[in-house]
Each structure stands twice: as structure tokens, then as C-alpha cells.
Amino acid sequence: MVRLRLDLAYDGTDFSGWARQPGLRTVQGEIEQALGRILRLGGPAALTVAGRTDAGVHARGQVAHVDVPEESLGELDGNRGPLGVDEQLSALVRRLGGVLEPDVRIHRVCVAPGGFDARFSAMFRRYAYRVGDAPGGVDPLRRREVVWHNRPLDLGALNAAAAGLLGEHDFAAFCKRRDGATTIRELQRLEWARRPDGVLEATVVADAFCHSMVRALVGSLLAAGDGRRPVEWPGQVLARGVRDSGVHVAPAHGLCLEEVGYPADADLAARAEATRRVRTVPD
């Protein structure tokens, strides 16, 4: 068997999330079917992903891995004879581009280094959340990736509220609990900037995220940013450690997975082993 790393992107609008579900169109389901067909695996491939995204959430820097029989790459050989591995994988990217719908793209496929696990080897995930607060709404050409907030937002208040959430905490107040899963996470970066086009963009980086965590954090910050809540409120919710009915989970379509970071190749296996000890369900 050979382990392949896939770097991919997708517009989550028309998907029922990442994870395969019977009768529903999902990113995982589409890619697995395409790989199985192209490589003649006799059925769908089995992908492991860095971060499972919910319905409507986008990704620009998603990473996954798949284990396939080495001989299956021979299905990609050219008419003039066998290809080298790099040529086979380039051919696979091109074939996937012809089979998949335009809302999901595989940018790169390579043989993964030893010890690589797309999920457990990751050091961090970086998300962006985009909000427009212009009185007339957001640019209609960006309506699938920018959420309109129908109140003016204060950048200083957003960042003051965000500062109280940084560090390693139990984020149970901002997560949907799953049996056997920890809600302790290290929030490494959470800051807002107003881009030249007026769109407010939150950059959110953590070692990992539990279910709905980013959108719940953003929802609490928007309440502080528009003056409905004091800037101390999100930190107070975090300290209480229980879900607060005042925290509204922000809409899915403003969220995009931008990057997944990994350690040096020599440290991949050790990182995966350490992560497995504390996490038992997908992030």
C-alpha cells in the first residue's frame, strides 16, 4: 500500500458537509467515488481528513490522505508505457479535475512522508470567518462566503473581546459535546481585521477545534462587536464552561478552512501518536 496526501479546496454551499452520508452529496463521498473509479479500486477509496467541515463551510487549504495499492497507480500509465510516480500523480490530479464537479478541486497529490496522518499529525488549523456590515448588505458576488451582519461592528471591540479567549482552555461553552472527546483546546490566534473592501475577517488558529467551536466563538464576538454585549462577555462565557443561550452560532457560509500546518517530516509520527492519546473523535 502507498499513502497519498491530497491538498484540496471546495465551495461548501451545495455539500452536506465533508463526511460521507447515505443519499447526500458530501465532499468525502465525491472524492472517494472519483478515486475508486479512476484507480479501479473496486469501490470507493477511504479518505482521512485534517478537519471535518459542516454543511456550508468552505475550504481553501484542506488536507486528506488515502491508502491505495501501489499497483493501482499503474492505471494512470500513458499510452506510451509506464510513467514515473510523479508523472502518475500529476496524471491523477488531471483526471480528478475532469471527473469532479467544479466546486471541489484537488490541487496536489503526492506520496506522503513516513508517519504522516492528515488528521493526527496536524499542528494547527487556520480558519477565516468573513463578515460584512455595510448598510446595504454584502457584494452579491461574494454572498456565498461573506455573512451580512445587520448592525455596525466595532473593530476595537471585536479584538478586545477576542483577547479574553486566547490560550489553552476547556472550550465546552463553545462546543457541541461528543462522547469520549475532550473539549480542551489551545486557541493560538484570534484576531479581526477590516480589509480594504470593508469586509471584516477573523483569523482563528488552534491546535484543533471541536464541533461548532469557531462559529460559536464568532457568534459571541459579534454580539460584543455590535454593542449588544460588553467586551468581557465572551470570556465570562468561557469561564463558566457551559453552553450559554445567548451565544448564537454564526452562519456556516462565512467560514473557510484556510490552512493546515504540519511539523517537519521527522516529527510527523511522534505528533500523530501524541494527538491520538487525547482525541478519540474527528475534530
Side-chain angles (χ1 to χ4, degrees):
M1 302 293 284
V2 60
R3 175 160 293 185
L4 303 178
R5 169 177 167 162
L6 286 70
D7 291 82
L8 60 139
Y10 47 87
D11 177 341
T13 304
D14 297 327
F15 289 104
S16 297
W18 165 268
R20 75 175 80 87
Q21 301 175 64
L24 296 176
R25 184 172 185 253
T26 68
V27 183
Q28 182 180 17
E30 294 286 296
I31 298 173
E32 288 180 344
Q33 290 285 350
L35 285 169
R37 172 182 165 189
I38 292 168
L39 298 178
R40 300 181 186 272
L41 299 178
L47 284 170
T48 297
V49 73
R52 292 171 56 173
T53 51
D54 293 335
V57 175
H58 314 298
R60 183 173 284 110
Q62 182 69 278
V63 180
H65 77 248
V66 62
D67 296 327
V68 300
E70 189 171 359
E71 59 269 22
S72 69
L73 298 181
E75 298 294 335
L76 302 163
D77 287 342
N79 295 330
R80 298 181 181 179
L83 300 174
V85 173
D86 289 345
E87 293 174 308
Q88 288 173 331
L89 297 180
S90 293
L92 177 57
V93 171
R94 187 173 296 277
R95 293 276 298 277
L96 286 165
V99 169
L100 293 167
E101 294 295 325
D103 55 359
V104 55
R105 296 287 92 183
I106 311 298
H107 294 310
R108 177 173 175 260
V109 180
C110 66
V111 175
F116 177 80
D117 184 291
R119 176 189 169 203
F120 287 112
S121 295
M123 294 291 292
F124 68 85
R125 284 90 170 163
R126 177 172 63 88
Y127 282 86
Y129 196 93
R130 298 177 174 93
V131 182
D133 62 348
V138 302
D139 178 350
L141 298 184
R142 300 190 66 190
R143 69 191 183 280
R144 291 188 169 195
E145 61 164 346
V146 180
V147 170
W148 183 44
H149 191 74
N150 193 17
R151 288 186 174 92
L153 289 163
D154 181 86
L155 181 61
L158 287 169
N159 280 318
L165 301 171
L166 292 171
E168 186 175 66
H169 306 284
D170 186 340
F171 282 92
F174 297 99
C175 296
K176 292 182 179 178
R177 285 194 175 275
R178 291 178 172 176
D179 291 341
T182 179
T183 50
I184 296 175
R185 297 290 189 268
E186 182 188 4
L187 187 58
Q188 301 165 355
R189 183 181 175 192
L190 176 52
E191 61 185 14
W192 292 82
R194 191 178 287 276
R195 301 303 178 193
D197 60 2
V199 170
L200 285 151
E201 182 176 293
T203 298
V204 193
V205 181
D207 56 344
F209 294 93
C210 44
H211 190 222
S212 84
M213 177 176 162
V214 179
R215 292 164 57 200
L217 289 172
V218 169
S220 72
L221 296 177
L222 292 177
D226 67 16
R228 288 175 293 152
R229 299 278 189 170
V231 295
E232 299 81 11
W233 179 69
Q236 294 167 352
V237 172
L238 174 68
R240 288 195 289 270
V242 294
R243 292 301 291 259
D244 189 307
S245 60
V247 175
H248 298 288
V249 176
H253 70 276
L255 185 61
C256 182
L257 175 58
E258 299 283 342
E259 180 187 9
V260 182
Y262 294 93
D265 290 356
D267 300 322
L268 288 166
R271 172 64 182 177
E273 182 180 355
T275 307
R276 281 192 183 92
R277 287 200 294 265
V278 296
R279 298 207 171 93
T280 58
V281 300
D283 298 316

